[in-house]
Amino acid sequence: MTLNQRRTRFLRGVAGAGRPGRMRKQGAARKFLAILLLAVFISVGHAKDSAAQMTPCPYAVCIEVLGFEAGFGQLVGDAAGTIPDAASAALDPVFMAALGTPFGVFPAVIGDKILGVIDDLTGTISSIWEDELDPAMQDMVKQLSTLNASQSVALAAFLDAANHYRVRQELRNEEVDSLREQHPGENVCVAGTIVGGITRAGSFQRAYNAAAPAEMAVRTGNTAGTVAGGGRAAAANVDFLQYVTRYCSAADNNGASGCADDGSFVGQDIDVTGTIFAKETIDVTNDDTRTTVDDLIRNIAEPLVKDPVSLGAVGSATGQQAILAGESYAAKRQTIYDGLYHIVSRRVPGSQMGAFVGPLRKAAGVHDTQISGNPSHNEIMQAMMNERFRNGNYAQQLIDEPENNQRELVVQQAFQLMQMSDQLDLMDRYSLLLAAQVGAEILQDKHPNSAIRGAPLR
């Protein structure tokens, strides 16, 4: 709608106010007065506002711009003189017609003014919207969007960090589990180190077990040039002299033991427990210790030697039978020597594992005098199969790392197998001893007849 169309519509509304009747005239008058007052205030405000060019002002200036000063009072006074006339003209169409042209154009002027004010107001609102409100709201939307975006980025970063931390935690747990499963404990390391020492000690054990009985074979066989070569009496005399020097106890045999004072190693030639079983490692590299062990074994296996067969009797059947009986006797004695020296050979030093076995035994409460610097096979087995379990540190490692229990189970099974192997060796020697005993009993119960002794059977 154009400005002229809006003005014509407004004038028609004003002109039609005085036709229907007096009540209608009064209502039209009130509307006209209200519109007139509104137009005056808006016109004044628009004029002042246009002069100020919509510039923010201090409080005093704003009061002046709004029209609350003397100029505005003068403008209201001037309008007060014309408002009653306008009202009277609106109430009486006849008077209105009599006023003529000057008053007739008044509504048109007011209408134009009002329409101008409306246009200015619309433009002002549009200007405020375009220049202030719309950019401000756009900024507000941007800020809200930025806030939401920042919050989304922060939440995404937090979730990424949480996932990263969770993955790292799972990775570390896997690393810890792998370390605990694959990393051997101290007990396993000690066992793995000592196994090499057992192999070395086993070599010395087998060598000693083979050499020691062989040295006794010269006694059993009455070897020429030895004490036993002279027969039982000569050997007994030498053995008695050594007994008096080393092992004699003046109180034995009711004081008639053959010596006035105790020997330097009194009683050790018959003390099986103190000489052999009380020591996990027997230092056979010491000459006195080795001699004592040999004399103890001799007292058990062969305290007296047999007499040799004379040279003249060797060609006869009786002499030959005596030679063969001597061979049977030597075999049986060697079986006994081998069984006895096998127990001693387990206690022969040679592993060189003292730096590892010693602390285990000491932690278990074993006295220092019982700990060897060069443990034997028997001492290692004693420490690994018995004494190491008495140490609190051993149990603590199994509690702190349960995976060590599985490894320790393998270690224990390995040592149990080694112990069973040692028992098998003992059973082999026990079988030979039993065979020797049975053969002697058969020979004693079943004597050969006279024909076998003097002549061959027909």
Side-chain angles (χ1 to χ4, degrees):
M1 184 179 293
T2 63
L3 178 60
N4 292 330
Q5 290 175 348
R6 286 184 288 179
R7 181 172 58 188
T8 302
R9 184 176 179 182
F10 176 76
L11 291 176
R12 288 177 181 177
V14 175
R19 294 177 183 177
R22 187 168 183 84
M23 294 299 294
R24 188 171 182 180
K25 293 178 180 179
Q26 292 177 359
R30 293 190 185 95
K31 292 181 179 180
F32 178 75
L33 289 175
I35 293 172
L36 182 60
L37 291 174
L38 177 62
V40 171
F41 280 105
I42 292 176
S43 299
V44 175
H46 178 264
K48 296 296 184 180
D49 188 31
S50 298
Q53 297 181 354
M54 301 297 293
T55 304
C57 58
Y59 177 75
V61 179
C62 290
I63 295 298
E64 180 180 358
V65 171
L66 291 175
F68 292 100
E69 78 276 355
F72 179 72
Q74 182 66 35
L75 180 62
V76 174
D78 295 340
T82 60
I83 290 174
D85 297 336
S88 299
L91 295 175
D92 192 353
V94 178
F95 178 75
M96 179 180 178
L99 291 177
T101 302
F103 191 80
V105 299
F106 181 76
V109 176
I110 295 300
D112 292 339
K113 194 65 174 176
I114 292 174
L115 294 176
V117 171
I118 292 174
D119 291 338
D120 292 339
L121 182 61
T122 303
T124 301
I125 294 174
S126 299
S127 178
I128 293 174
W129 171 262
E130 294 176 358
D131 297 338
E132 302 294 338
L133 296 179
D134 186 51
M137 293 181 69
Q138 290 179 359
D139 292 339
M140 181 181 68
V141 172
K142 290 180 181 179
Q143 293 177 2
L144 293 176
S145 301
T146 302
L147 179 62
N148 293 334
S150 300
Q151 185 178 10
S152 300
V153 172
L155 291 176
F158 174 78
L159 294 177
D160 291 341
N163 293 331
H164 180 71
Y165 176 77
R166 188 182 303 107
V167 172
R168 286 184 58 86
Q169 188 65 29
E170 292 177 357
L171 179 61
R172 290 185 178 182
N173 292 337
E174 292 293 336
E175 291 177 352
V176 171
D177 293 339
S178 299
L179 178 63
R180 294 174 63 177
E181 291 176 359
Q182 303 299 330
H183 180 69
E186 181 179 354
N187 295 331
V188 178
C189 294
V190 171
T193 303
I194 289 177
V195 168
I198 291 179
T199 302
R200 180 182 173 87
S203 299
F204 283 94
Q205 174 186 351
R206 289 186 294 271
Y208 182 83
N209 198 181
E215 290 183 356
M216 293 297 182
V218 297
R219 179 181 176 86
T220 303
N222 302 114
T223 302
T226 64
V227 176
R232 175 175 298 183
N237 182 52
V238 174
D239 293 342
F240 181 78
L241 294 177
Q242 184 165 343
Y243 152 76
V244 172
T245 304
R246 293 175 60 88
Y247 312 111
C248 180
S249 174
D252 286 351
N253 195 33
N254 197 23
S257 59
C259 60
D261 298 320
D262 293 339
S264 56
F265 300 95
V266 58
Q268 293 186 13
D269 63 330
I270 59 175
D271 185 8
V272 177
T273 300
T275 303
I276 297 178
F277 294 109
K279 299 177 181 180
E280 302 299 339
T281 298
I282 301 175
D283 186 13
V284 294
T285 60
N286 184 280
D287 292 338
D288 290 332
T289 300
R290 181 182 177 184
T291 299
T292 301
V293 171
D294 291 341
D295 291 343
L296 174 63
I297 297 300
R298 188 192 67 241
N299 287 339
I300 297 175
E302 193 179 17
L304 299 174
V305 300
K306 66 178 183 63
D307 289 325
V309 179
S310 61
L311 180 61
V314 173
S316 64
T318 304
Q320 294 175 358
Q321 181 180 357
I323 294 294
L324 294 177
E327 291 297 309
S328 175
Y329 172 83
K332 294 174 183 179
R333 289 297 177 275
Q334 281 295 302
T335 301
I336 297 174
Y337 279 125
D338 180 75
L340 296 176
Y341 274 113
H342 177 73
I343 298 175
V344 177
S345 66
R346 287 174 52 87
R347 292 167 169 80
V348 172
S351 67
Q352 296 183 354
M353 289 287 112
F356 303 98
V357 178
L360 291 178
R361 302 196 69 196
K362 190 172 183 178
V366 180
H367 197 271
D368 292 341
T369 57
Q370 299 295 321
I371 300 175
S372 173
N374 190 11
S376 64
H377 175 87
N378 190 77
E379 185 172 357
I380 293 177
M381 295 299 295
Q382 176 69 13
M384 297 301 296
M385 296 296 295
N386 185 2
E387 295 171 349
R388 71 187 180 113
F389 306 120
R390 305 175 188 177
N391 185 1
N393 292 331
Y394 170 84
Q396 182 179 1
Q397 292 182 8
L398 299 181
I399 295 173
D400 291 344
E401 297 183 12
E403 289 78 9
N404 284 334
N405 293 328
Q406 299 179 356
R407 289 187 282 268
E408 184 61 26
L409 179 60
V410 176
V411 173
Q412 292 183 14
Q413 290 175 346
F415 277 97
Q416 288 177 357
L417 288 176
M418 288 188 284
Q419 191 176 42
M420 292 175 65
S421 177
D422 295 342
Q423 292 176 351
L424 181 61
D425 290 340
L426 289 174
M427 291 180 64
D428 291 341
R429 287 163 174 79
Y430 178 77
S431 298
L432 290 175
L433 289 172
L434 183 61
Q437 181 180 358
V438 171
E441 292 178 353
I442 291 175
L443 183 62
Q444 182 178 359
D445 295 338
K446 304 294 182 181
H447 294 287
N449 55 25
S450 58
I452 295 178
R453 294 177 182 177
L457 295 176
R458 294 183 180 180

